Amino acid sequence: MQTSRARLFKEYKEVQREKVADPDIQLVCDDTNIFKWTALIKGPSETPYEGGVFQLAFAVPEPYPLQPPQVRFLTKIFHPNVHFKTGEICLDILKNAWSPAWTLQSVCRAIIALMAHPEPDSPLNCDSGNLLRSGDVRGFNSMARMYTRLAAMPKKG
Amino acid sequence: MISDSITNASATAAPSARDFGKKKRTNRTAKLKQSKLGLRREQWLSQVAMVNKGGKEEMDANRKPGSEKSDQRDRPVVNLDGHQRGEEDDNNSGANRHESFMESLSNSPNSILSGMNSIPNFSSSSSSGSGGSCSGNITEEEDADDDGCLDDWEAIADALAADDEKHEKENPPEFSEEHEHENIQQSACESDVAVSRKQKSNQAWRPDDELRPQGLPNLGKQRSSPVMNFHYSSVAVPSSCPICYEDLDLTDSNFLPCPCGFRLCLFCHKTICDGDGRCPGCRKPYERNTVKVETSVQGGGLTIRLARSSSMFCRS
């Protein structure tokens, strides 16, 4: 209990200090609960997610950092490793490959890397995974771009 | 940073130049050789910095492929570099040391060594400018290598004096022109030797004046970064535990639970051992035996106590 709170507080201070260091990630702590965080990440360039801003919700468990935070997409995203309805993320470092040396910031970076390099062989979104596995990169890209425009970009006009 | 290195070099060289002032006549040739060596080194450094992105060893090998002595030559230079930096806690003490070094050598026939002396001046000052905080570590490392070589100074000096005869003939024509020019200038303002030396160090860059400013910082990075990396991976201890972000105390910072070198505080190590028992750095399970061996290898009462306490952790 005490360790996770102390560590999250230190991470919070770190985030405040390095706000300018990583312009693609904006990590905000809930005002009343240090175990709830939200993050805004920019879609990586040269992917169908480019130009979109995606919101992530972090739920930090009590034994953190010995256990990984639970992260899910609040913004809808068409990606093989993200559940289309719940936003659940299939990422090894959020499950068995978690290391206490990771931070919320580095989790965000890992998720950005996952967006740029989807792994269609362990899909949560079967439609998306099947498109990529059948080699229809163009179809996947257009679907993903469409959902990025619909959900992750500010509405114009 | 470049201007730093210039001023440092001239600052450390100034006392030795004053020393020269007493024996100008006898040491004229020595000065010439010194400037030649300096020039050659400058040119070589900038060439290497531009062309070769490789390590220092490679550069040493490239330096004089023709002569067999080059290896013998280079090694003492590097070691002297480290040695002097060891003494050089600040510029003054370093300068004093240079002076005594010069006096002892200027009487001997092997006064070419005073030329050699200028080379470490350049490299040590430039790299201490760029290396920053890690210079102490470098000193330790290179001091360890020193001991064997410095005993052999007399023999090496003899070899170098013989070697320099050859080098004089090998010098390219543009260099000799440069030296003529310097010589004239020196005789013109012999009263203020320090100033002329400063100008001389500027002139040493002239052959490739445009390349030089770019080359120097690159070289500094090349020299310092592998050393920095090396020390970061194996020696440097983080100030706080990467798991709980609490400061590491003396016991914690001597605690090396995993061969991968990932350090953490004893509290976090215990909680991890109670749980899945994998090192956060490499995700391999902590080997309980390794913990004891690693800590006892380090020796000392403190670490032995550590070994016991960590074995207690693992039993609980």
Side-chain angles (χ1 to χ4, degrees):
Chain A
M1 160 77 194
Q2 203 57 44
T3 33
S4 57
R5 195 177 285 275
R7 153 121 178 190
L8 283 168
F9 192 66
K10 295 265 171 59
E11 278 194 46
Y12 177 77
K13 281 205 276 192
E14 195 94 332
V15 164
Q16 297 302 316
R17 209 176 39 144
E18 294 180 356
K19 221 163 205 172
V20 270
D22 206 335
D24 294 343
I25 301 170
Q26 200 181 332
L27 200 54
V28 199
C29 178
D30 191 289
D31 287 338
T32 53
N33 187 350
I34 203 167
F35 292 96
K36 300 276 180 220
W37 293 62
T38 50
L40 293 173
I41 58 174
K42 284 185 187 160
S45 57
E46 290 167 33
T47 66
Y49 311 109
E50 184 172 4
V53 177
F54 298 85
Q55 195 175 5
L56 299 169
F58 286 77
V60 184
E62 200 88 325
Y64 180 83
L66 297 176
Q67 277 181 20
Q70 292 164 349
V71 192
R72 64 187 192 91
F73 271 93
L74 291 181
T75 310
K76 215 163 250 328
I77 179 172
F78 187 76
H79 186 284
N81 307 111
V82 182
H83 196 283
F84 192 67
K85 289 217 170 90
T86 63
E88 186 194 337
I89 302 169
C90 177
L91 184 58
D92 57 351
I93 64 138
L94 293 177
K95 308 230 157 62
N96 52 359
W98 169 255
S99 156
W102 288 76
T103 62
L104 299 183
Q105 187 91 11
S106 55
V107 167
C108 288
R109 281 193 208 110
I111 290 171
I112 290 176
L114 180 75
M115 286 164 82
H117 303 280
E119 296 197 23
D121 289 330
S122 59
L124 272 174
N125 183 338
C126 292
D127 294 338
S128 167
N130 286 338
L131 277 175
L132 275 182
R133 273 197 286 188
S134 62
D136 189 0
V137 179
R138 202 175 156 191
F140 165 78
N141 281 346
S142 65
M143 283 286 277
R145 202 174 303 119
M146 184 191 80
Y147 277 109
T148 305
R149 289 220 180 119
L150 280 179
M153 285 189 188
K155 303 278 185 297
K156 282 174 192 164
Chain B
M1 196 193 73
I2 302 162
S3 61
D4 266 7
S5 68
I6 297 169
T7 49
N8 279 347
S10 54
T12 49
S16 53
R18 233 176 285 131
D19 189 38
F20 270 128
K22 297 172 195 163
K23 306 158 186 172
K24 269 172 285 185
R25 294 279 155 213
T26 50
N27 281 339
R28 177 77 55 78
T29 53
K31 252 191 231 171
L32 253 173
K33 286 170 184 172
Q34 177 179 350
S35 63
K36 253 181 246 169
L37 281 166
L39 262 174
R40 207 182 299 151
R41 185 178 163 90
E42 296 302 314
Q43 199 203 25
W44 161 72
L45 283 178
S46 54
Q47 274 175 0
V48 171
M50 297 304 290
V51 177
N52 184 10
K53 293 284 179 188
K56 199 168 141 197
E57 291 80 13
E58 234 177 310
M59 282 152 51
D60 280 344
N62 283 344
R63 187 178 176 184
K64 270 285 169 192
S67 68
E68 284 184 23
K69 299 274 164 71
S70 65
D71 278 350
Q72 279 185 353
R73 245 172 84 102
D74 285 338
R75 208 160 292 145
V77 174
V78 172
N79 285 328
L80 184 60
D81 177 8
H83 184 256
Q84 283 185 344
R85 206 178 311 149
E87 316 281 335
E88 233 173 48
D89 284 332
D90 54 13
N91 263 348
N92 291 331
S93 68
N96 288 339
R97 180 169 169 77
H98 284 299
E99 233 167 353
S100 60
F101 192 58
M102 301 287 287
E103 271 168 5
S104 66
L105 283 169
S106 54
N107 294 330
S108 73
N110 307 322
S111 59
I112 177 62
L113 266 176
S114 59
M116 301 295 295
N117 202 16
S118 76
I119 296 173
N121 269 351
F122 268 105
S123 60
S124 72
S125 53
S126 65
S127 67
S128 64
S130 61
S133 60
C134 73
S135 64
N137 293 334
I138 298 172
T139 309
E140 281 174 18
E141 188 191 26
E142 292 187 354
D143 267 350
D145 296 337
D146 268 348
D147 304 334
C149 295
L150 279 178
D151 297 337
D152 229 345
W153 260 113
E154 291 296 320
I156 293 165
D158 285 338
L160 285 176
D163 191 36
D164 192 68
E165 301 297 312
K166 271 189 276 173
H167 284 306
E168 258 182 325
K169 289 163 198 164
E170 286 169 14
N171 261 342
E174 81 237 38
F175 274 170
S176 51
E177 273 179 31
E178 197 71 29
H179 292 308
E180 298 263 328
H181 188 57
E182 280 166 17
N183 204 10
I184 291 162
Q185 202 188 18
Q186 271 179 11
S187 53
C189 52
E190 270 178 357
S191 58
D192 198 355
V193 190
V195 172
S196 81
R197 271 197 59 83
K198 203 171 178 181
Q199 286 172 352
K200 203 165 73 180
S201 67
N202 282 338
Q203 275 185 359
W205 296 7
R206 190 167 283 173
D208 34 17
D209 212 1
E210 292 175 0
L211 303 180
R212 182 67 183 142
Q214 295 162 351
L216 187 57
N218 283 345
L219 188 80
K221 268 181 215 160
Q222 273 181 16
R223 283 204 57 185
S224 62
S225 63
V227 178
M228 291 263 287
N229 288 343
F230 171 73
H231 282 289
Y232 259 94
S233 60
S234 63
V235 179
V237 181
S239 60
S240 63
C241 170
I243 310 305
C244 62
Y245 284 22
E246 296 294 334
D247 290 345
L248 291 180
D249 63 17
L250 186 63
T251 316
D252 293 328
S253 46
N254 282 311
F255 179 51
L256 189 59
C258 182
C260 79
F262 188 88
R263 291 173 188 274
L264 70 175
C265 72
L266 288 161
F267 291 105
C268 290
H269 181 254
K270 183 205 179 316
T271 38
I272 287 173
C273 272
D274 288 346
D276 68 352
R278 290 182 306 168
C279 168
C282 60
R283 296 208 191 87
K284 292 193 184 104
Y286 278 127
E287 292 173 32
R288 275 115 212 260
N289 291 332
T290 319
V291 171
K292 280 180 241 170
V293 171
E294 283 279 332
T295 44
S296 59
V297 159
Q298 286 185 346
L302 181 72
T303 43
I304 287 169
R305 255 188 284 128
L306 255 177
R308 252 180 242 146
S309 59
S310 64
S311 64
M312 263 168 58
F313 284 169
C314 295
R315 241 177 267 136
S316 65

